Amino acid sequence: MQTIGAQALMTLISHFVFIFVAFWSIQKLHIENVMRLYPNQARVLIVLLSVTVGYTCSEFFLNFIDNVRNLIFLVK
């Protein structure tokens, strides 16, 4: 049970870190300048893109780590 809790904590931290990095990166694109007529919608778009990109990257890395850990069963 404790390993499930640790894995859940690692997953949550990974998701939040990758979402933060995606948000930080996407903000530098200045999408709100392109969408001058709709600044509020541009901010929502930045948040939604950040969540999408961050979650996808986090899932990729977590799955990659899990698959590397499971490679040991190929040898056994």
Side-chain angles (χ1 to χ4, degrees):
M1 268 319 201
Q2 197 168 8
T3 58
I4 294 172
Q7 185 176 3
L9 182 63
M10 185 177 80
T11 301
L12 284 173
I13 291 171
S14 174
H15 288 338
F16 282 123
V17 166
F18 276 97
I19 288 170
F20 173 76
V21 169
F23 181 74
W24 175 72
S25 299
I26 291 173
Q27 275 187 324
K28 301 302 179 190
L29 294 176
H30 298 290
I31 294 173
E32 61 273 358
N33 291 341
V34 177
M35 299 177 64
R36 288 184 200 125
L37 298 176
Y38 308 104
N40 291 333
Q41 286 86 350
R43 290 185 196 112
V44 172
L45 178 64
I46 290 171
V47 170
L48 292 176
L49 280 174
S50 301
V51 170
T52 303
V53 171
Y55 177 80
T56 304
C57 290
S58 177
E59 280 296 314
F60 169 77
F61 281 106
L62 289 172
N63 284 332
F64 182 79
I65 291 169
D66 193 38
N67 287 331
V68 168
R69 285 190 334 194
N70 289 335
L71 279 177
I72 195 166
F73 297 116
L74 185 66
V75 180
K76 284 186 176 184

